[in-house]
Structures are given as C-alpha cells and as structure tokens.
Amino acid sequence: MKLIGNVVLGLLVLCSSASVAVAANVNVVHGIDGRDLSQPQALPVDIAVNGQCALRGVAFKESALVELAPGDYTITVHIADGRCAQTAVITKQVTIPENSRVFSAVASLSSSGEPQLAIFNVSDLFVPSSVAVRHLAQAGSVTVKFSSSEILKSQSTRIRNGKQATLSVLSNRVPYTANIYPGASRRSIARLTGVGRRKFTIYNIVGSKTNGFSIIAESLAP
C-alpha cells in the first residue's frame, strides 16, 4: 500500500481560540474498490477539506495523513481530476473535539453499497496496543472472534457496517488472532494474526461479496 505522504492543511482554523489547540492526526484511507461502482478498481479520488483540495489522485487501498485543529469541517470526495472540481460523491460533516489526537477517515461502502466516509476517533481505544476490526464492506453483519494468551477465552463480537470490534487488553509483543465470519457462517473470510505493539492496530474490512473483500491495515501512533 502506497503512502501518499503527510499533508499539513495549515490547521484550517474556524475560530481564533483554535490557534493554540493541538491538531489531530487524521489518517485518510481510500477503501472503495472501483469495480463495486462499475469503475476501474483503482478509482483515484481527490479529497477536499472546507472547499480546499487537500489530497489528489488517491487510489484504492492508499492512505495519507492530514492535520486538523479542533473544529467543524466539511470533507468531500470527488472522482480525481486534480482540482476537486468533479461533483462530490461523498460529503461528510466532521467535528474534531479538543484533546482528541488520532482519527481515521475511511472512504468505504455502506451495507447497501452507497459510498460513505466513516470517521473513527482512534483516541477512544485508550490502550496504545489496542487492536480494532472495522466492518466497512457492502455486506450484512459479521462476527469478529479474538483470541490471545491474555484472555481466558475467545471474545466474539457481532458488528454491522460502520462499527468496530476491539481487543484492548494486549501487552506489548503478546500474540493475537482475529477471525472474521460473515453472517451466521462458520467459515472465516479472514484470519488476522499479529503481536501487540505500542501503536493502535486497525483492520478495515472493505469491498463486497461480488468483487471480493479486502483488508486495509492501519498502524497509528497514540
């Protein structure tokens, strides 16, 4: 997965008091397989914040970091032309609260296949070695089953589109496994393994049954 780069948006302050506030790091992820919208799979997009074209030509599975001060923002996603001039395919109102340091914004599909921008306050995970699995695919509910030597028995959580399941008890370097099951199926569509690290580890399930599911991983510093 190609990292587009760090893009500083100059804080885009909406009120004078925000100039002394700490900006949040927002990881923007492109999680829409263009084939699900009858487009080429890469589906490059431009992304604007409060009308300013901030990211250009971001393709499926790519991501980029932006910094936003506390405040209210309008984020729009456009088919790429390098100017954010195409009609927005996604418009999302986003509020960055004070003292929230890490967010991710994932362009993805709703359970019915509509383009959406899912916003998650990663700071809410609390424990730096947390693991999260997010359901952002065109599909019904999925079950996430976590296993780790730190928990007495496996943890199973059923989540619908736009939600996440978390394992927040991991110490540094402790191995974990997450299996993902669609609906009531007992056949896993993904088996994720890793070790606890002093970062937030996030797995975004994107795509569709028609064109296949993908996992886009994020590793974000607290």
Side-chain angles (χ1 to χ4, degrees), residues 73-179:
Y73 299 90
T74 300
I75 299 178
T76 52
V77 180
H78 313 254
I79 300 299
D81 65 1
R83 298 178 295 121
C84 296
Q86 297 293 319
T87 301
V89 294
I90 302 173
T91 299
K92 180 75 172 182
Q93 305 300 318
V94 178
T95 298
I96 304 295
E98 294 200 24
N99 302 318
S100 292
R101 299 293 300 275
V102 187
F103 280 78
S104 58
V106 187
S108 55
L109 296 178
S110 70
S111 58
S112 61
E114 294 297 318
Q116 64 181 1
L117 189 65
I119 307 294
F120 297 88
N121 187 343
V122 180
S123 304
D124 287 345
L125 296 179
F126 294 117
V127 180
S129 52
S130 294
V131 176
V133 175
R134 297 177 184 150
H135 177 8
L136 297 170
Q138 183 182 351
S141 297
V142 301
T143 297
V144 180
K145 186 176 182 179
F146 286 111
S147 300
S148 166
S149 60
E150 284 196 341
I151 56 179
L152 296 177
K153 60 181 180 178
S154 299
Q155 296 179 356
S156 293
T157 305
R158 191 173 179 86
I159 54 174
R160 62 183 187 276
N161 183 283
K163 301 298 181 180
Q164 66 183 15
T166 61
L167 180 62
S168 299
V169 296
L170 294 175
S171 301
N172 195 34
R173 308 303 298 176
V174 171
Y176 65 83
T177 299
N179 280 286

